Amino acid sequence: MKFFQKLGARVDELWRVQGYDEAIFSAVALQALQELPPDQHTCLLDVVCGATQASNLPTQVDMKATFGDPPLTVFEGRSFRIEVLFWLRGVPGIHQHAFSGAFHVLEGSSIHTRWRFVPEERVNLRLILGRAEFTEVEILRRGDNREIIAGPGMLHATYHMDKPSLTVVVRTIVEHDKAPQYSIMPPHVAHVPSLRHDIVVRQSQLLQMMLQTHPEECLRHLRCLMSLKDTYWVFEVLDALWSSIDDEEARQQLLATARHHHPALLQALEPSFDQVVRGDHITRVRGDVGDDSELRFLLALLRNVPDGDEIRRLIALCYPDTEVVDLIERWVRRVVGSGTLGFSFHESWFLALRYLLRGLSAEQIAERFASSESVPGGPRDLAEVEELCRALKTSWLLYPLFVRSRVQVS
Amino acid sequence: MITVQNANVDWRDSLYALNNPAGFKFVFSKQIRRGAPFRLAQGGAAAIDVQTMAAAGNSVAMELIGADYLEPDAPVGVSEKGAEWLLLSASSGNPVAMQQIAERWLSTDASRMAADAQSLLERAASDHYLPAQVALAAYLLEGPLAPNPIRATELLRDSAARGSRLAHVVMATSLITGRGVQADHDAGVGWLRRLGANNARKVGALGTFLYASALASRFPERRRLTRYAAVLFEESINQGNFDVETSLAYLIRRG
């Protein structure tokens, strides 16, 4: 813990000569982290043992540990603090900050994606519909530092690949002119989880309870309410209840009612819900494959990087001696073989996947299947090959391999 | 729940799960009991005052009241009132009501109302209401709408691609029985395989799921689902699963 006193003192020293101007705090924090790299001075055990032995600690925040497993404040300065965030299972979504500073990877590694959000329709301060655009991805490793820019200028996500991962964050407390902190549900929704309206939250909780005890009445009631309530209310309640509604027709009826009364919201929300469901599912599969670091890497990429070229680039970066398509096919075979998906792949799926990754068209794949590479029980004609290719390219697991969504930012 | 863990022998096996993270959960949900006992006439057991809301023109409330009035155990004479409420709701743009009133017309007065029913189903489907799209396809295949197997197949393929399990079942049963399309047993079984029902036991399980859904459904959807369940039970028996003979017999005895 002594190290963080030293780091905090250095940050204060650098910032003081700048008049404690928040606008340049990120540069100050970055400089301090570069001068005193935490990974060269401390480690997980140092931090945990030091914090638990101490008779006193700086004021702790986020006591529900919503951001970090848990977060630990290790230094309090004038209008800034230093935190160590531990990550065991935490999957922070895409978010922006109402503070500035810099972070340092103390242990582990993470996939760091950057995004931007183009607003198209403001519902209210808490909910904006628009377009989330993926702009950049990199792999952060121990010792890496990155600035945190307050406000809409930096929208990012860090998906921690190792268990545990630790980050040191040097940050201002809050910059009110940069609030609120939006979170993004790609591809179309920006909302502020920290500003949820208390009344709406409690009403959602009541409806969740009612869904358990009186499901049919709850769904009737909910459909009536959706025809009466405002768009923000419908968003919050659907967001809270959606994963608990398992009846296909009930879901369709809810969507139809919401779509009829809040068309713009539903146009944005349906694809965003699809992304949430697929993200949760891949996270579950990733948890089930155990300690296989290669599979965990592949699944982390598929979950977080919506661009096939970028996925291939990162794999090539980390595994430079192996052909990327071969590696992807081999890893997908292992994921399927692990039984964690709940279904198997027919051999023709692997072959079609390999050919699609190599850029072959459905016609070319059909020709290969018709000739020497036919597989027992495989697709028999072009229409069947096209259906299989379409299914692979739109698969919840594999579709990022086939899209080019990265937006170049000048 | 059916989970396929064994190696697939046909390329169509489990294809549905590739595009739908939830996979093949043939879970009969108690969240929606479409055959719920008639309630409104019993003093407004509904949790919300739908009568007042319907009177004020709320489309969801009008649909709920209409559907309740059309329940088989509703007091005699109220079914016409139910149809009126549903029609009002449909007229205000509610796709759920559009499907319900259209299916009602097709089951009771098809010769006179088929064109109007088709028009409502088309409109509900164009509003992205998937159950209406599947129902429209089913009536174009099985009657009483004028047969149009090409359009029906297009609608079903689109619905299946958007995640409708029922669309898979309608395709499968039509192809197996030749109802509305040229019979093609292998193609029909292929649609069951896509849903993960790739052996006799799983086909029987899918039939049981459909039958349970039928028992909880509103008339006339109940009749359609029961017919599909019967086809699946027969297919399961033909594939060697005689365990479902009792289910099929029970289904036939209940008519």
Side-chain angles (χ1 to χ4, degrees):
Chain A
M1 298 294 277
K2 278 183 187 166
F3 164 73
F4 292 110
Q5 294 295 325
K6 190 174 171 185
L7 179 62
R10 180 60 182 150
V11 171
D12 187 76
E13 186 183 358
L14 289 169
W15 200 21
R16 187 170 58 242
V17 297
Q18 302 289 348
Y20 293 108
D21 180 3
E22 287 84 352
I24 56 160
F25 185 76
S26 58
V28 165
L30 185 64
Q31 184 181 339
L33 286 170
Q34 285 168 339
E35 289 178 8
L36 296 167
D39 66 309
Q40 291 176 26
H41 295 85
T42 188
C43 64
L44 180 145
L45 290 179
D46 270 359
V47 177
V48 174
C49 293
T52 49
Q53 285 167 16
S55 54
N56 201 4
L57 285 173
T59 307
Q60 298 299 307
V61 296
D62 186 14
M63 297 313 291
K64 289 182 182 170
T66 57
F67 202 79
D69 304 313
L72 173 70
T73 301
V74 289
F75 182 87
E76 275 182 294
R78 174 175 159 177
S79 298
F80 79 94
R81 67 173 182 257
I82 301 175
E83 296 172 331
V84 178
L85 304 178
F86 299 81
W87 298 102
L88 293 178
R89 54 172 171 71
V91 187
I94 304 163
H95 58 275
Q96 67 184 55
H97 301 281
F99 59 84
S100 52
F103 67 93
H104 169 95
V105 182
L106 178 56
E107 286 192 21
S109 61
S110 58
I111 294 174
H112 185 216
T113 52
R114 292 177 191 263
W115 299 70
R116 71 178 181 190
F117 189 78
V118 182
E120 289 172 351
E121 183 172 336
R122 178 188 154 110
V123 175
N124 58 29
L125 179 71
R126 297 171 168 88
L127 178 63
I128 298 176
L129 311 179
R131 207 170 62 247
E133 294 178 340
F134 163 69
T135 61
E136 201 179 331
V137 59
E138 61 182 339
I139 293 176
L140 296 180
R141 295 192 174 83
R142 180 185 162 124
D144 284 338
N145 299 306
R146 290 294 178 270
E147 283 185 89
I148 299 170
I149 309 296
M154 182 181 178
L155 204 52
H156 76 146
T158 45
Y159 188 87
H160 303 288
M161 290 194 286
D162 298 313
K163 184 179 170 180
S165 287
L166 270 72
T167 44
V168 175
V169 181
V170 181
R171 53 166 286 184
T172 55
I173 305 301
V174 65
E175 296 172 34
H176 294 289
D177 59 333
K178 299 295 178 7
Q181 297 190 133
Y182 284 97
S183 290
I184 305 298
M185 290 169 63
H188 295 307
V189 175
H191 66 125
V192 190
S194 60
L195 277 187
R196 285 198 170 103
H197 200 291
D198 286 349
I199 292 173
V200 181
V201 170
R202 187 49 44 89
Q203 288 173 336
S204 294
Q205 292 165 346
L206 286 169
L207 287 166
Q208 277 179 306
M209 179 276 298
M210 189 181 178
L211 190 62
Q212 305 294 316
T213 60
H214 295 77
E216 192 200 4
E217 285 76 7
C218 177
L219 291 165
R220 287 168 63 102
H221 187 59
L222 184 53
R223 289 186 59 218
C224 285
L225 290 174
M226 286 198 303
S227 69
L228 300 169
K229 295 281 194 177
D230 61 280
T231 300
Y232 169 73
W233 189 95
V234 172
F235 164 73
E236 285 291 355
V237 171
L238 276 181
D239 189 32
L241 267 68
W242 190 244
S243 61
S244 308
I245 300 167
D246 54 22
D247 184 281
E248 187 176 311
E249 189 165 347
R251 281 183 167 220
Q252 290 293 334
Q253 290 187 351
L254 274 181
L255 288 178
T257 302
R259 204 182 290 123
H260 181 51
H261 294 276
H262 308 275
L265 173 69
L266 264 287
Q267 197 176 354
L269 200 54
E270 287 185 70
S272 296
F273 274 166
D274 288 345
Q275 287 298 313
V276 171
V277 170
R278 85 170 276 278
D280 289 349
H281 213 64
I282 293 178
T283 299
R284 184 195 60 74
V285 172
R286 192 168 178 269
D288 290 347
V289 297
D291 295 329
D292 188 326
S293 60
E294 291 178 339
L295 299 193
R296 289 173 65 80
F297 178 56
L298 173 71
L299 291 164
L301 291 174
L302 292 173
R303 186 193 182 282
N304 296 288
V305 184
D307 188 293
D309 286 346
E310 290 298 294
I311 291 175
R312 276 185 271 262
R313 181 179 69 78
L314 293 175
I315 292 174
L317 198 67
C318 296
Y319 298 87
D321 299 328
T322 317
E323 211 275 324
V324 171
V325 171
D326 287 347
L327 210 47
I328 293 174
E329 185 193 335
R330 203 184 312 155
W331 287 345
V332 172
R333 281 181 185 275
R334 273 164 47 198
V335 172
V336 173
S338 72
T340 53
L341 294 180
F343 62 99
S344 298
F345 275 32
H346 186 261
E347 183 58 28
S348 62
W349 298 14
F350 293 117
L351 283 178
L353 173 63
R354 180 196 304 165
Y355 294 142
L356 286 172
L357 289 172
R358 293 193 189 286
L360 269 62
S361 66
E363 287 81 3
Q364 291 169 315
I365 296 172
E367 280 171 21
R368 299 221 177 183
F369 279 165
S371 58
S372 56
E373 297 197 43
S374 66
V375 180
R380 291 159 297 190
D381 54 34
L382 178 59
E384 292 191 343
V385 172
E386 283 176 335
E387 183 184 353
L388 174 57
C389 291
R390 199 164 44 243
L392 287 166
K393 287 167 123 177
T394 57
S395 153
W396 58 269
L397 180 68
L398 302 171
Y399 92 86
L401 294 168
F402 303 104
V403 294
R404 309 280 175 275
S405 67
R406 185 179 164 215
V407 173
Q408 303 278 354
V409 179
S410 56
Chain B
M1 173 182 174
I2 293 177
T3 302
V4 181
Q5 296 287 0
N6 55 313
N8 294 334
V9 297
D10 186 293
W11 76 274
R12 297 164 296 187
D13 288 348
S14 314
L15 203 63
Y16 177 87
L18 193 55
N19 293 101
N20 296 276
F24 341 94
K25 274 201 262 178
F26 297 143
V27 175
F28 174 64
S29 171
K30 291 188 171 55
Q31 287 184 346
I32 185 162
R33 292 183 296 119
R34 290 168 284 273
F38 183 76
R39 290 165 305 173
L40 295 171
Q42 297 167 357
I48 198 165
D49 185 5
V50 286
Q51 294 277 10
T52 306
M53 287 172 62
N58 183 282
S59 65
V60 176
M62 291 191 283
E63 169 219 316
L64 293 175
I65 288 182
D68 280 348
Y69 278 159
L70 289 178
E71 279 300 306
D73 58 348
V76 178
V78 299
S79 62
E80 287 309 311
K81 206 170 169 184
E84 283 171 22
W85 278 118
L86 277 182
L87 192 53
L88 275 173
S89 179
S91 302
S92 70
N94 179 353
V96 182
M98 289 180 206
Q99 184 193 349
Q100 289 183 6
I101 191 67
E103 290 215 59
R104 180 81 186 173
W105 286 340
L106 289 172
S107 66
T108 58
D109 198 7
S111 57
R112 199 168 61 87
M113 300 301 290
D116 289 342
Q118 180 164 354
S119 163
L120 277 182
L121 287 174
E122 296 272 9
R123 193 172 153 206
S126 72
D127 284 345
H128 308 287
Y129 186 48
L130 214 46
Q133 182 165 316
V134 176
L136 172 61
Y139 288 115
L140 287 171
L141 278 177
E142 303 161 6
L145 295 180
N148 190 343
I150 293 174
R151 172 143 166 73
T153 304
E154 281 173 2
L155 290 168
L156 288 173
R157 282 187 178 276
D158 178 69
S159 304
R162 288 162 59 192
S164 169
R165 291 176 298 181
L166 188 56
H168 284 74
V169 170
V170 178
M171 283 291 278
T173 54
S174 299
L175 287 162
I176 288 170
T177 61
R179 187 169 181 154
V181 292
Q182 188 172 356
D184 183 341
H185 186 264
D186 178 66
V189 167
W191 283 95
L192 300 179
R193 284 182 167 274
R194 285 172 175 83
L195 269 188
N198 62 349
N199 61 37
R201 185 182 60 78
K202 289 168 185 164
V203 172
L206 179 55
T208 304
F209 167 75
L210 274 172
Y211 188 35
S213 302
L215 292 175
S217 295
R218 289 190 190 282
F219 175 83
E221 185 191 20
R222 184 181 309 152
R223 202 162 55 189
R224 281 200 294 122
L225 294 180
T226 304
R227 201 168 57 238
Y228 303 145
V231 173
L232 295 187
F233 286 147
E234 281 191 60
E235 176 61 28
S236 181
I237 293 166
N238 289 340
Q239 291 184 18
N241 176 19
F242 300 104
D243 292 346
V244 296
E245 280 183 328
T246 314
S247 302
L248 181 58
Y250 183 68
L251 182 154
I252 292 169
R253 189 171 68 83
R254 282 181 61 113

